[in-house]
Amino acid sequence: MWGETDDMRWVPVGEVGEVRMGKQLSPNSRSAGEQYPYLRVANVLDGHIDYSDVKTMGFSSAERKTYGLVPGDVLLNEGQSLELVGRSAIYDGGSGEYCFQNTLVRFRPGPMVLPKYAQAVFKRWLATGVFAGIAKKTTSIAHLGGDRFAQLLFPLISLERQRRIVEVLDAVTESERAVGAAIAKLGPLRGAFLADLAGHERTQLSAVIVWGPQNGLYKSAESYGETGLPIVRISSFAGGPSDLTRGLLRVTASAAEVRRYGVAAGDLLINRVNTPALVGKSTVVSRLQEPTLFESNIMRCSLDREKVDPRFVEAWMSTSVVKEYFASRTKPAVSQASINSTDVLACPFPSVGIPEQRKFLSQLDAIDVRVAYETAELTKLRVLKQGLTGDLLSGKVRVDTSA
């Protein structure tokens, strides 16, 4: 917990507001005549409520009074994974418009507590493991428990100081939103920029491949372990730029296998077997720290450096044109799909010379640099907010209430 300042008192949560569990979903409630919307864990995210997928069940008029929500109610996840139990948001819908299920706990602040201040405390408890510390775990679900939550000691300070703390934190949150909005705009811009390539005259990927596609190395489970050489698997990359110098499993392999299945910087790796949505995802090997192999569910292609910049190929392979192409060529097998070397060779590819490719990459890099900068700024703001929240709520940093 935190220390205590001259104007801070530690009071049980249940004494500064009403704590209530929601109504349990039952077969009778599903078939009751009057159905009303209710919120559940899936609706209560970190700091906001998602009203896009709301279910209904039966509530009597008395139950609607008991479980009805009013603006300012703070809803917390009662049943969740251990790291998310206690995740909270403030209800901002209409009075009595929604009820809530027993997978949530409702905290209705009393007259001495501002809803935003209470939620700031709860977010801090989530981040610092306070909720995880009191939760009871059953199988994969942790339960906060209304009684245990109500007994937690709440840092009660004057309404004036609560209001100033909320104002300070809201200012940082607004900066977070502004940076997040800037990042959100850059994503579609990058997508539109890649989509412009689709307008170029096309040839086939085979025009820039000098060798391959080659299927990778198959090894039994006993060959994998802590020793041996790193091997690229379908889970090693998400599509697009990747770091293949860390996090790879290791496998024992002969010198002949290393010569045949070793990858080199500039090689194009394509996922040939996966779920239908992921088959065809690819990456270009950028750098290696030691000899590295590739697994049998992947195909490798050596690219003609006189005709193509490998990074341009990597960028093109992430476009919707290529994804749609591979989707049309997949061969389904149970829950997986596959493509073959013929599909890869016939993949459409823009007829663009290296100078134009590099001009395109330069423009794409400018977008990526901006995204990286904004993402770093957002990370800094979040770290700042976490530290500031702790300092403000503990009284280590005092807020001016004279204005």
Side-chain angles (χ1 to χ4, degrees):
M1 282 291 188
W2 306 301
E4 184 166 331
T5 64
D6 55 356
D7 68 342
M8 179 185 292
R9 294 185 296 120
W10 292 99
V11 182
V13 168
E15 293 183 17
V16 295
E18 178 197 75
V19 175
R20 181 176 292 278
M21 300 283 291
K23 179 181 176 178
Q24 184 172 357
L25 182 64
S26 66
N28 288 339
S29 64
R30 285 193 179 98
S31 60
E34 293 188 273
Q35 298 281 306
Y36 294 96
Y38 67 93
L39 300 180
R40 63 197 197 283
V41 163
N43 303 113
V44 179
L45 307 179
D46 186 18
H48 71 281
I49 294 176
D50 178 8
Y51 298 97
S52 64
D53 179 20
V54 175
K55 299 187 181 299
T56 62
M57 67 171 160
F59 288 89
S60 67
S61 58
E63 286 175 330
R64 292 188 67 192
K65 290 180 181 179
T66 301
Y67 301 112
L69 296 170
V70 299
D73 284 347
V74 185
L75 294 172
L76 302 94
N77 288 178
E78 196 284 325
Q80 232 326 345
S81 57
L82 189 61
E83 69 277 8
L84 294 178
V85 68
R87 183 174 64 181
S88 62
I90 297 174
Y91 175 70
D92 56 358
S95 183
E97 185 177 348
Y98 292 91
C99 295
F100 67 108
Q101 189 191 6
N102 69 333
T103 55
L104 299 174
V105 177
R106 181 185 69 192
F107 173 74
R108 179 167 290 170
M112 296 185 296
V113 178
L114 299 177
K116 282 192 173 183
Y117 175 75
Q119 210 251 328
V121 172
F122 300 155
K123 281 176 68 72
R124 183 67 179 168
W125 285 351
L126 174 67
T128 56
V130 172
F131 287 142
I134 68 167
K136 289 189 176 179
K137 193 170 182 180
T138 59
T139 62
S140 60
I141 300 297
H143 293 277
L144 181 61
D147 290 340
R148 293 188 296 275
F149 169 60
Q151 292 169 11
L152 286 174
L153 295 180
F154 186 90
L156 185 62
I157 56 178
S158 68
L159 288 172
E160 291 78 9
R161 290 197 182 281
Q162 291 182 39
R163 192 169 291 110
R164 286 294 294 129
I165 287 174
V166 167
E167 289 172 356
V168 172
L169 295 179
D170 278 352
V172 181
T173 299
E174 191 55 40
S175 296
E176 283 183 302
R177 288 197 186 104
V179 175
I183 295 173
K185 289 179 181 177
L186 290 168
L189 178 62
R190 192 182 196 279
F193 193 62
L194 287 171
D196 287 343
L197 284 176
H200 286 273
E201 182 181 346
R202 297 179 199 166
T203 179
Q204 294 183 335
L205 190 59
S206 59
V208 295
I209 292 176
V210 293
W211 188 82
Q214 174 201 5
N215 290 353
L217 173 66
Y218 172 78
K219 282 284 189 177
S220 63
E222 296 77 32
S223 301
Y224 289 83
E226 296 181 1
T227 61
L229 295 176
I231 185 167
V232 181
R233 310 174 73 213
I234 61 175
S235 59
S236 303
F237 57 92
S242 58
D243 182 0
L244 302 180
T245 64
R246 57 182 180 176
L248 302 184
L249 295 182
R250 290 182 174 271
V251 67
T252 56
S254 67
E257 289 172 329
V258 173
R259 286 193 297 270
R260 178 166 176 76
Y261 299 106
V263 298
D267 282 351
L268 172 67
L269 302 180
I270 303 174
N271 188 182
R272 71 177 185 87
V273 178
N274 208 322
T275 60
L278 294 177
V279 70
K281 69 183 172 76
S282 61
T283 191
V284 165
V285 180
S286 57
R287 62 189 180 92
L288 299 169
Q289 292 181 334
E290 58 184 313
T292 302
L293 310 172
F294 69 108
E295 207 172 45
S296 59
N297 284 344
I298 297 171
M299 289 183 282
R300 177 187 63 184
C301 301
S302 295
L303 302 172
D304 189 341
R305 299 295 191 90
E306 295 184 359
K307 295 181 180 178
V308 72
D309 186 312
R311 290 182 59 233
F312 181 81
V313 178
E314 185 177 64
W316 169 254
M317 297 297 283
S318 68
T319 63
S320 59
V321 172
V322 173
K323 292 177 181 178
E324 291 169 4
Y325 166 76
F326 282 133
S328 70
R329 301 291 289 260
T330 56
K331 292 83 179 171
V334 194
S335 60
Q336 291 188 321
S338 66
I339 53 175
N340 57 34
S341 59
T342 301
D343 300 324
V344 171
L345 292 171
C347 177
F349 190 77
S351 298
V352 179
I354 286 185
E356 191 173 352
Q357 292 174 24
R358 289 179 176 162
K359 180 180 178 182
F360 168 84
L361 288 171
S362 177
Q363 294 170 321
L364 196 62
D365 283 344
I367 298 174
D368 290 342
V369 166
R370 187 64 185 175
V371 170
Y373 171 79
E374 297 289 1
T375 301
E377 288 299 301
L378 186 58
T379 300
K380 289 178 186 177
L381 281 170
R382 286 173 176 167
V383 171
L384 169 66
K385 186 176 180 180
Q386 285 182 358
L388 184 60
T389 300
D391 289 343
L392 289 171
L393 296 179
S394 67
K396 183 177 180 180
V397 171
R398 305 279 289 185
V399 290
D400 182 11
T401 59
S402 59

